[in-house]
Amino acid sequence: MGSGRLGLSPALPGDIIHQCFRWSLYPQSGSYLASSPNIEIDTKFGGAKTFFGGKGLFLIKLEGEGDVFLSSFGAIAEIDLNDERIIVDNGHLVAFTEGLEYRLTKLGSIKSAILGGEGKVYEFSGTGKIYIQSRSFELFIGKILPYIEPKK
């Protein structure tokens, strides 16, 4: 590989992170920006848990060794799990590594889901990394939509 400059521009304002990558990673579709040519890009069937979580039926799967660039809406935080469990709101998930078990569940009551949002969360367990974003695009759109005038 040669030297040079790389310019990346994500669709939403937020962080871009660069990872030297040596495992399998599952980024949400809007978070994947670019990768080295030797990183294989594939899909994995996510089933009902990703479909009903708003991520679609298939997950993007990145595998190999090289450079990966991810973006987010807001700041990105990297969380290391060592045989631990964590709950992540589905609107804040950026990516997670292979080896983590996950399931989609509801958090709170029906009343809190109606008043405070959709209430869908991913519960991750095991050993690996999770990348989360500080903002949720869906919540942001929900806040500004009442102020947008329909075109006549």
Side-chain angles (χ1 to χ4, degrees), residues 83-98:
D83 198 24
E84 297 171 283
R85 180 180 158 268
I86 192 170
I87 295 175
V88 177
D89 183 286
N90 70 327
H92 292 271
L93 182 63
V94 173
F96 61 95
T97 58
E98 180 104 73

Side-chain angles (χ1 to χ4, degrees), residues 44 69 111 127 140:
K44 176 184 174 184
F69 296 88
K111 180 181 174 185
T127 299
F140 174 69

